[in-house]
């Protein structure tokens, strides 16, 4: 009886939680670019599809354009309040990964 109770204590929570984990498992692994780009979602929205006209959408822009902007922010040659500080926190390799990830996203704007 104790063995059955112990098995049920493990099995029942696993059966309840498994369906909740399925979407995360089905989505697959998160790339380094996507993980690093998560910082950008607060201002540039999910996947870089910015809402409104205040900030530029990042999704679907050419990688070279995005990378040039990110490096200019990092070097301070493109002045900004927040982006300069954020870009300085990334290595050049990480900036390339972020730019590549946003370039690969589908833009929602025409």
């Amino acid at each position: 009886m104790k063995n059955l109770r112990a098995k049920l204590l493990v099995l029942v929570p696993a059966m309840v939680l498994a369906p909740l984990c399925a979407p995360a498992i089905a989505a697959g692994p998160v790339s380094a670019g996507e993980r690093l780009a998560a910082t950008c979602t607060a201002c540039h929205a999910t996947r870089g599809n910015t809402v409104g006209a205040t900030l530029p959408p990042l999704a679907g822009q050419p990688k070279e354009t995005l990378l040039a902007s990110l490096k200019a922010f990092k070097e301070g040659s493109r002045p900004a309040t927040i982006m300069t500080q954020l870009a300085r926190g990334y290595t050049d390799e990480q900036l390339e990964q972020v730019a590549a990830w946003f370039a690969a996203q589908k833009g929602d704007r025409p």
Side-chain angles (χ1 to χ4, degrees), residues 24-45:
I25 293 168
V30 175
S31 71
E34 183 176 5
R35 182 178 45 79
L36 293 167
T39 304
C40 310
T41 62
C43 298
H44 292 280

Side-chain angles (χ1 to χ4, degrees), residues 18-31 34 47 101 105:
L20 299 175
C21 297
I25 293 168
V30 175
S31 71
E34 183 176 5
R47 301 199 174 292
W101 188 81
Q105 304 311 302

Side-chain angles (χ1 to χ4, degrees), residues 34-105:
E34 183 176 5
R35 182 178 45 79
L36 293 167
T39 304
C40 310
T41 62
C43 298
H44 292 280
T46 304
R47 301 199 174 292
N49 287 303
T50 309
V51 177
T54 306
L55 297 172
L58 304 178
Q61 285 194 35
K63 176 186 172 187
E64 296 76 23
T65 303
L66 292 167
L67 186 56
S69 291
L70 289 169
K71 285 186 175 183
F73 285 129
K74 183 177 180 176
E75 295 163 357
S77 61
R78 183 173 175 184
T81 305
I82 296 172
M83 281 305 303
T84 301
Q85 307 242 337
L86 289 173
R88 287 182 180 159
Y90 292 98
T91 66
D92 288 345
E93 180 184 356
Q94 289 173 324
L95 292 178
E96 279 195 48
Q97 292 171 328
V98 169
W101 188 81
F102 278 120
Q105 304 311 302

Side-chain angles (χ1 to χ4, degrees), residues 1-15:
M1 187 67 162
K2 282 188 176 185
N3 280 342
L4 179 60
R5 184 178 296 174
K7 288 179 183 178
L8 286 175
L9 285 174
V10 172
L11 187 60
V12 171
M15 290 171 51

